[in-house]
Amino acid sequence: MKTSNGTWANPPLEVSGEVTPARISAEVLALYQHGRAADAGADFKPWAMQRAAALVRFESTNWVSGVMTPRGPRTHEVRTENMGESYWGAFSATLAEADPLGERMLANPGVSYLVGQADFPPRTAAVMQAWGIESGVLGMMADRSTGTFSVVVWHRGAGLPPFGEAERRLHEQLLPHWVEGLQLYRVGVRCATCISRPGPAGWPR
């Protein structure tokens, strides 16, 4: 499993102004435009989360990708922002004992949920407390034809009010576009890599 943690490469834009339908549409367009620009130099996941932080205030994120197997979900990539490298290992270890949201998310891909420490067993809640997580918004996108899935999570600490319904709806609106934008970005990276490789003599470039 590939695990990476970052701090914002550039400070997230300040939350400003009303989040109107036109602003959400502009954000979705930017995700797909950046997805095509695979030579932009910025990894898509932290870039997308930095942009989202200009729409709603949150302090850290998880973006988990994996595949469903007969034995359950298998995570193959985790990207966190402002969490520290050891967070995911500590948190995921508790899910082996109890995962109260996993089945709900699998049954309802594309739906985002509001969560707090009270929604998890004590051991999981203790990990959240240790990392200063008081509330979150999370949702899963799943491709039933391939078994792949992505889970994107926003976190807030005690210094901010818990997430509410408006933030949940915004997360739900953007969730499928984050995942599809990421896939477009990865295809572009592969294409750019292939184009940069020298081909057989006489092949057009």
Side-chain angles (χ1 to χ4, degrees):
M1 180 181 68
K2 178 183 176 183
T3 304
S4 59
N5 175 70
T7 53
W8 303 119
N10 300 297
L13 300 172
E14 289 295 325
V15 177
S16 61
E18 182 183 359
V19 182
T20 62
R23 194 172 175 192
I24 294 172
S25 294
E27 178 63 21
V28 170
L29 177 60
L31 291 171
Y32 289 108
Q33 288 176 330
H34 189 77
R36 293 199 308 269
D39 60 348
D43 185 49
F44 186 86
K45 291 180 178 181
W47 178 87
M49 291 299 97
Q50 280 188 294
R51 288 194 60 89
L55 300 175
V56 61
R57 183 84 179 274
F58 55 87
E59 295 173 318
S60 57
T61 70
N62 282 351
W63 189 324
V64 181
S65 303
V67 63
M68 292 302 301
T69 73
R71 296 182 179 181
R74 181 177 180 180
T75 300
H76 59 70
E77 183 179 356
V78 178
R79 173 73 190 196
T80 64
E81 297 294 329
N82 294 350
M83 296 296 294
E85 294 182 2
S86 59
Y87 168 76
W88 177 252
F91 181 81
S92 62
T94 71
L95 300 183
E97 299 176 6
D99 183 0
L101 283 175
E103 290 188 6
R104 287 173 62 191
M105 289 195 297
L106 280 171
N108 300 284
V111 176
S112 296
Y113 297 92
L114 297 170
V115 296
Q117 293 182 17
D119 296 300
F120 293 92
R123 188 179 172 206
T124 307
V127 172
M128 296 171 67
Q129 180 68 30
W131 266 266
I133 299 170
E134 294 290 333
S135 70
V137 185
L138 74 162
M140 171 189 286
M141 290 298 299
D143 185 334
R144 299 189 185 280
S145 64
T146 63
T148 57
F149 67 86
S150 288
V151 177
V152 183
V153 190
W154 294 338
H155 304 116
R156 278 180 177 174
L160 293 173
F163 288 106
E165 177 61 16
E167 290 95 347
R168 189 203 67 79
R169 289 198 306 267
L170 178 61
H171 188 283
E172 190 171 285
Q173 286 178 288
L174 293 175
L175 178 60
H177 302 292
W178 289 329
V179 175
E180 289 303 314
L182 173 63
Q183 299 309 317
L184 185 61
Y185 176 82
R186 286 174 167 168
V187 169
V189 168
R190 293 189 187 103
C191 289
T193 301
C194 292
I195 291 172
S196 66
R197 291 174 180 168
W203 278 35
R205 299 298 294 172

